[in-house]
Amino acid sequence: MTTIYPPKSGDEARRRRWQFPAWIEQECRDPGTRNALRKDARGQSAEAADRLDRCIAPWLPNRCGPQEQAAYYTLAKMIADRPRYEFSDPDPDDAEGSQDGETEQGRPAEPAGETGDAEPADSDESSSPAQSGPEGEQAQMAPARNPGRGESLGAAYARAVISRGMRENTARDRLKLLARQTETGVHKTLPRAVRHLQNEGVKLHWPRLFDELAEWATRRDAICRRWRQDFYQLLNDSALEQAKREDHAELEAS
């Protein structure tokens, strides 16, 4: 059996950031690996540390600095910090497909037909909450503005306000707190914020969050500005859609 490891340099390494989350979710089907990933690397037993590094080390590109390495480990921790049932084995009938971009050996497949910095565009499933019942109807009022890139953390907080009942002030304060984090502090604060969103039933777009976490040291202000813009734009879009529906209902009733 041939084990396929990710490439180590250039655009291929960046594209692997988009495939890394699917690999971690696959590894989390094993309870021992999931437990190792969801805990802080420091203070772990030798066996747990071995599981952790065995999952992540092959994905690290050449000349990977401490901050980029931290992004891999922090993202894996956030993905693993979910209930076990979310990592159940997929339907065997769907296993042959390439939805997760994996080979029969379980390692991610090589990207086909990709050039430059193109990223996958199928982000709807991982960027929006389940849309059924009253909450789903409300969430549909605010469609994603840029579904090809995937929704940002700011949009995720807006979804929590729109469809999950989070207070707008609470979401705004959490975004402000994240904006003050250093390149070290973000690895402590972001997992707590993500856990809170996931507890509210909001799904995150892992590849985009991974990109932003890896670039935090050099692009923090731009990333946080984009989060704030997405947050307020989505709230405004939702309010406009709600007003249109109310106007339409009044016209029909008259």
Side-chain angles (χ1 to χ4, degrees), residues 64-206:
C64 183
Q67 289 304 316
E68 188 172 5
Q69 287 188 37
Y72 277 86
Y73 283 85
T74 298
L75 191 86
K77 177 181 179 179
M78 292 188 293
I79 293 173
D81 192 17
R82 289 148 55 194
R84 185 190 301 181
Y85 67 82
E86 294 193 19
F87 301 105
S88 58
D89 291 333
D91 190 318
D93 294 336
D94 297 332
E96 295 179 359
S98 58
Q99 188 173 9
D100 288 335
E102 296 170 359
T103 65
E104 293 180 0
Q105 290 81 12
R107 288 285 182 176
E110 292 296 320
E114 291 183 342
T115 58
D117 290 334
E119 289 97 4
D122 54 341
S123 60
D124 292 343
E125 182 177 350
S126 56
S127 61
S128 300
Q131 299 189 353
S132 60
E135 291 180 347
E137 292 176 2
Q138 193 175 18
Q140 288 178 355
M141 296 179 190
R145 285 183 172 233
N146 186 13
R149 174 83 195 278
E151 289 194 327
S152 71
L153 191 73
Y157 268 112
R159 296 284 179 195
V161 172
I162 293 167
S163 62
R164 302 296 175 179
M166 181 183 290
R167 293 169 59 97
E168 183 176 340
N169 285 343
T170 298
R172 186 186 301 116
D173 288 344
R174 292 180 183 274
L175 287 172
K176 289 179 180 178
L177 177 62
L178 286 167
R180 296 195 295 267
Q181 299 307 305
T182 64
E183 58 190 58
T184 301
V186 70
H187 294 281
K188 298 178 180 178
T189 306
L190 185 60
R192 291 196 293 267
V194 166
R195 185 185 306 116
H196 186 228
L197 285 169
Q198 293 188 127
N199 289 341
E200 294 287 336
V202 178
K203 294 185 178 181
L204 282 299
H205 190 272
W206 299 118

Side-chain angles (χ1 to χ4, degrees), residues 5-20 59 61 68 72 108-118:
Y5 286 94
K8 291 291 187 178
S9 61
D11 294 336
E12 291 292 329
R14 184 174 186 274
R15 278 198 290 271
R16 286 305 188 182
R17 290 187 196 170
W18 284 71
Q19 295 178 352
F20 177 71
W59 291 82
E68 188 172 5
Y72 277 86
E110 292 296 320
E114 291 183 342
T115 58
D117 290 334

Side-chain angles (χ1 to χ4, degrees), residues 181-241:
Q181 299 307 305
T182 64
E183 58 190 58
T184 301
V186 70
H187 294 281
K188 298 178 180 178
T189 306
L190 185 60
R192 291 196 293 267
V194 166
R195 185 185 306 116
H196 186 228
L197 285 169
Q198 293 188 127
N199 289 341
E200 294 287 336
V202 178
K203 294 185 178 181
L204 282 299
H205 190 272
W206 299 118
R208 175 166 181 170
L209 191 59
F210 191 11
D211 267 344
E212 292 169 336
L213 184 59
E215 298 170 355
W216 190 263
T218 57
R219 297 189 59 249
R220 182 192 65 179
D221 292 346
I223 290 167
C224 292
R225 183 180 302 113
R226 181 73 264 174
W227 287 355
R228 291 191 298 270
Q229 290 173 348
D230 289 348
F231 177 71
Y232 291 117
Q233 286 173 350
L234 196 54
L235 290 181
N236 184 68
D237 290 348
S238 177
L240 290 176
E241 290 294 333

Side-chain angles (χ1 to χ4, degrees), residues 3 5 19-38 50-59 76 79-80 82 84 86-90 100 102 105-108:
T3 301
Y5 286 94
Q19 295 178 352
F20 177 71
W23 165 249
I24 292 299
E25 293 204 351
Q26 175 184 293
E27 289 295 284
C28 284
R29 295 171 192 163
D30 175 70
T33 301
R34 173 178 165 270
N35 286 334
L37 289 171
R38 67 199 296 260
D50 180 73
R51 284 178 180 266
L52 184 65
D53 291 330
R54 188 171 63 211
C55 287
I56 298 175
W59 291 82
I79 293 173
R82 289 148 55 194
R84 185 190 301 181
E86 294 193 19
F87 301 105
S88 58
D89 291 333
D100 288 335
E102 296 170 359
Q105 290 81 12
R107 288 285 182 176

